[in-house]
Amino acid sequence: MTTRPAPVILWFRRDLRLADNPALNHAAETGRPILPVYIHDMGPGVRRPGAASLWWLDKSLRALDDSLKARGSRLILRSGDSEGELRRLIDETGADAVFMNRLFDPDAFARDADIAHALKEDGVEVKGWNGSLLCRPGGVMTGSGGPYKVFTPFMKALLAKAEAPPHTLGPREIDTPTSVKSEAVDDWSLHPDKPDWSGGFDWTPGEAGASEALSDFLSKGLKTYSVGRDRPGEPGSSRLSPHLHWGELHPWRVVEQVRKAASDGRVPAAEADKFVAELGWRDFSTQLLHHFPRMTDTAFRPEYDAMPWLTDIKGFNAWKKGLTGYPIVDAGMRQLWTTGWMHNRVRMIVASFLVKDLLIDWRKGEAWFWDTLVDADLGNNVQNWQWIAGSSADASPYFRVFNPTTQGAKFDAKGQYVRRWVPEIAALPDKWIHAPWTAPAEVLRDAGIGLGRDYPKPIVDHGEARDRALDALKVVTRSRQPDDDSDRD
Ligand SMILES: Cc1cc2nc3c(=O)[nH]c(=O)nc-3n(C[C@H](O)[C@H](O)[C@H](O)COP(=O)(O)OP(=O)(O)OC[C@H]3O[C@@H](n4cnc5c(N)ncnc54)[C@H](O)[C@@H]3O)c2cc1C
């Protein structure tokens, strides 16, 4: 009688795909049965996903299960403490190996290291790979051996050193023992219900949805990406962020396809390069957080923790609800709430408004984004919020204050974006769409708008708020001079 070899546990986390999945490929190479498992661990230690992320997870797990079933396998679902559930599965099945793609967020990384250490002590083989970044943190370091703190040299070094792994589709058949019990995703209540505000989430989570989004972008937005990515009223960016966050496609596949579009002459090379550079911010943010884990809660530049933030509950609520009286800010916050996503240019504008015009701590904004974004990602969210606050490593200086009116006029000149998300002022002519309070009384009357009745008057005067922010900054540093509007590039 032949005994079945001990299975390998394939621990899925934020790598919810079968193609280009190093842990899956290595598990398949062992020739042993594979136990694909996802553990829903909402315990302390690692930041829990926000509500919009859980919405995504719900759908992505179902899609992954379908893909596994098509290969003769299935996704085993367990909930509870990660180490405890892995041990339970090991006891139940006799598995003696755990393969995973690494998470690089500091808390998850530390937890996984503890789990690996403990399991190895008990004779279990534990192995991890990079399946989510162009280059694992630490893969490129400065000449003096430290982590990069400035984006441009980081990206240059990354592109010079890191190599795309070969494209793989994963095994055609996956042998998974049928006797192992799984929980049901329905029982996890990941989809919001009190209230269910996800009616406007127009996304297709999962590997197939990610491929579709990439194809769509290659044939449309990429051609004019460098300009289009800054036009919130047009579909100019890839919208790949939630797919990338959940690991539904490998970033190197994205880079390869984008570069191929350029080498085939379908898009200008400069557009492809610009896109790859933006994608690099994802690696940059993650490696920064990995090397400086305190960044999740404290300013990268510690002097910024002395900022005299205000507790402005009314202002914070107006910001969250999209009722600040600044149309581009309100449009962004409503897009976020309705769709679980916000355009990058507008993320910068609304973040600057919160941190500078309202003088509210960036951590409050980061937490709101964390709960409401389908692409909420610790490295990207924390790094970008600190970038806006001026406290990150390679940050926009604090004295650069985004002017919501001129930003709106520049990047949403015809007001398409604002009209879509702030319909109560849609009838205003373009000239006043980004500053309704400056419109003459008869223009407002003709457009049927009563300011303060149909749409709020600005909750702060931007000029005064800017001066107040710069005053507050004096607490932090007296060495910099005030400047005007900021553009990231
Ligand atoms: C305050 C603030 C908070 C943010 N929070 C997040 C977050 O939680 N999760 C997140 O994925 N992005 C975050 N971003 C970055 C950026 O806004 C989004 O990645 C982008 O809007 C996603 O849309 P896209 O996929 O169409 O981007 P594209 O322009 O098509 O870019 C392609 C990919 O590159 C990466 N990327 C692009 N810009 C950035 C950037 N500035 N930083 C890091 N990666 C980038 C993303 O993975 C993105 O999907 C934040 C930006 C700001 C200003």
Side-chain angles (χ1 to χ4, degrees):
M1 192 179 106
T2 53
T3 48
R4 248 160 98 76
V8 176
I9 293 176
L10 175 61
W11 184 16
F12 278 104
R13 293 98 66 77
R14 293 209 319 259
D15 51 347
L16 305 179
R17 64 174 187 273
L18 301 186
D20 306 307
N21 185 323
L24 168 61
N25 292 340
H26 282 92
E29 274 166 23
T30 65
R32 288 152 55 184
I34 297 175
L35 293 171
V37 61
Y38 182 88
I39 302 171
H40 186 47
D41 182 349
M42 296 291 268
V46 174
R47 191 173 326 170
R48 296 174 185 182
S53 292
L54 290 176
W55 177 92
W56 191 283
L57 177 65
D58 179 81
K59 275 92 201 139
S60 196
L61 289 176
R62 293 171 200 269
L64 180 63
D65 186 40
D66 287 345
S67 306
L68 284 164
K69 282 184 175 140
R71 299 189 192 195
S73 175
R74 77 208 151 92
L75 187 60
I76 297 160
L77 300 175
R78 296 287 168 103
S79 57
D81 168 66
S82 297
E83 184 184 340
E85 290 308 314
L86 287 172
R87 284 189 180 280
R88 219 184 302 281
L89 205 53
I90 289 167
D91 289 346
E92 287 170 24
T93 63
D96 62 1
V98 177
F99 287 6
M100 68 185 109
N101 293 309
R102 289 197 194 291
L103 297 173
F104 297 107
D105 299 345
D107 291 345
F109 189 81
R111 178 203 58 189
D112 292 350
D114 287 347
I115 293 177
H117 182 73
L119 292 180
K120 279 180 187 168
E121 295 243 300
D122 294 339
V124 178
E125 181 189 15
V126 182
K127 284 187 166 177
W129 291 268
N130 166 30
S132 58
L133 294 176
L134 297 172
C135 184
R136 68 172 171 80
V140 285
M141 299 294 258
T142 62
S144 55
Y148 279 98
K149 296 180 199 159
V150 181
F151 174 71
T152 305
F154 165 79
M155 197 56 191
K156 205 171 152 207
L158 185 154
L159 289 177
K161 186 171 175 198
E163 277 181 21
H167 180 38
T168 57
L169 293 173
R172 279 226 285 263
E173 286 288 321
I174 300 173
D175 172 17
T176 298
T178 50
S179 55
V180 187
K181 286 204 181 71
S182 171
E183 295 175 23
V185 73
D186 283 341
D187 294 341
W188 288 357
S189 305
L190 301 177
H191 192 102
D193 59 356
K194 284 180 195 140
D196 179 0
W197 87 97
S198 65
F201 285 20
D202 182 17
W203 301 92
T204 311
E207 200 168 359
S211 290
E212 231 169 83
L214 177 57
S215 303
D216 201 47
F217 176 62
L218 292 171
S219 62
K220 294 182 192 147
L222 181 58
K223 266 184 224 92
T224 51
Y225 177 72
S226 51
V227 173
R229 64 183 280 272
D230 265 330
R231 303 275 180 265
E234 296 161 25
S237 71
S238 70
R239 292 169 59 101
L240 282 172
S241 48
H243 298 290
L244 284 163
H245 171 76
W246 286 107
E248 296 170 353
L249 83 176
H250 197 298
W252 270 116
R253 291 292 81 73
V254 180
V255 170
E256 280 183 349
Q257 297 219 27
V258 163
R259 285 181 171 163
K260 187 165 183 311
S263 62
D264 291 351
R266 282 176 282 144
V267 304
E271 298 296 330
D273 289 346
K274 179 67 186 160
F275 180 81
V276 172
E278 288 306 310
L279 192 62
W281 275 95
R282 190 174 165 266
D283 268 61
F284 179 68
S285 303
T286 305
Q287 67 97 34
L288 206 58
L289 193 68
H290 184 78
H291 292 297
F292 302 98
R294 284 166 45 83
M295 258 185 96
T296 49
D297 304 305
T298 57
F300 179 89
R301 297 169 191 270
E303 66 272 22
Y304 279 83
D305 276 333
M307 277 297 289
W309 303 116
L310 299 179
T311 313
D312 175 1
I313 294 169
K314 231 170 119 190
F316 188 45
N317 283 336
W319 180 80
K320 287 196 287 190
K321 289 183 178 154
L323 292 172
T324 67
Y326 284 94
I328 192 89
V329 174
D330 295 339
M333 297 309 292
R334 296 180 195 188
Q335 180 184 30
L336 172 62
W337 180 251
T338 309
T339 69
W341 184 86
M342 193 197 302
H343 188 276
N344 179 61
R345 169 60 49 184
V346 191
R347 290 188 204 202
M348 293 196 275
I349 299 169
V350 304
S352 175
F353 189 82
L354 186 80
V355 172
K356 297 177 183 175
D357 290 55
L358 298 182
L359 217 53
I360 291 177
D361 194 332
W362 62 268
R363 282 159 277 233
K364 293 222 168 95
E366 195 271 319
W368 180 249
F369 270 31
W370 180 260
D371 202 36
T372 52
L373 276 172
V374 285
D375 66 22
D377 178 279
L378 203 57
N380 285 355
N381 205 28
V382 164
Q383 199 289 122
N384 276 287
W385 272 97
Q386 292 221 32
W387 188 90
I388 291 289
S391 61
S392 186
D394 188 4
S396 162
Y398 186 88
F399 54 73
R400 290 197 174 153
V401 181
F402 281 69
N403 179 326
T405 309
T406 54
Q407 287 277 314
K410 185 169 175 190
F411 296 109
D412 184 37
K414 299 238 162 285
Q416 291 127 291
Y417 181 73
V418 157
R419 287 195 177 87
R420 159 108 205 260
W421 294 109
V422 192
E424 60 268 40
I425 58 165
L428 269 182
D430 294 355
K431 185 172 175 194
W432 294 286
I433 193 77
H434 291 290
W437 65 94
T438 62
E442 62 275 18
V443 171
L444 287 170
R445 198 186 49 234
D446 289 352
I449 300 163
L451 273 191
R453 183 192 68 202
D454 304 309
Y455 182 67
K457 295 178 181 160
I459 58 170
V460 286
D461 173 275
H462 174 69
E464 288 169 13
R466 181 173 174 276
D467 290 345
R468 182 178 67 173
L470 295 176
D471 251 9
L473 178 67
K474 288 183 189 145
V475 176
V476 173
T477 171
R478 291 174 186 277
S479 61
R480 293 172 178 165
Q481 291 302 305
D483 192 10
D484 232 342
D485 239 352
S486 155
D487 283 332
R488 190 179 195 112
D489 301 320

